[in-house]
Amino acid sequence: MGKVVLVGDKYTVNLFKMMGAEGTIVEDPLALPQIINEVKKRQDVDLVLITKDIYNPVRESVDSIILNQKKPLITIIPSPFSEAEALDVKRMIMAALGFG
């Protein structure tokens, strides 16, 4: 089973490290594309989690990397510093049933 690597703020990275994941603390979001490219080269990593507050400022430059990546799987997660968005559960159910 491959490793999980979290890329994000100090608080979230340290929390995930306590659960056994690896982590990279990012102070400057502009460094994110380079960090992702370095992690992609590792054969032992299956999942890369990026905190939303680090991802949002460089979304345009990172989306092309994420969309064209098969392994490791790269996904965005919320952090304590990102704004929460309300879920429209009714819309999600309707879309799942083919009505949205």
Side-chain angles (χ1 to χ4, degrees), residues 53-73:
D53 57 314
I54 300 299
Y55 164 78
N56 278 340
V58 291
R59 166 182 262 149
E60 292 80 26
S61 62
V62 174
D63 277 347
S64 62
I65 298 171
I66 294 173
L67 292 174
N68 296 321
Q69 184 64 30
K70 295 201 183 328
K71 185 180 185 254
L73 176 64

Side-chain angles (χ1 to χ4, degrees), residues 10-30:
K10 179 172 67 171
Y11 177 81
T12 309
V13 168
N14 288 330
L15 179 66
F16 272 75
K17 281 184 176 181
M18 287 192 298
M19 295 185 290
E22 289 186 24
T24 301
I25 297 171
V26 177
E27 300 288 335
D28 180 11
L30 295 175

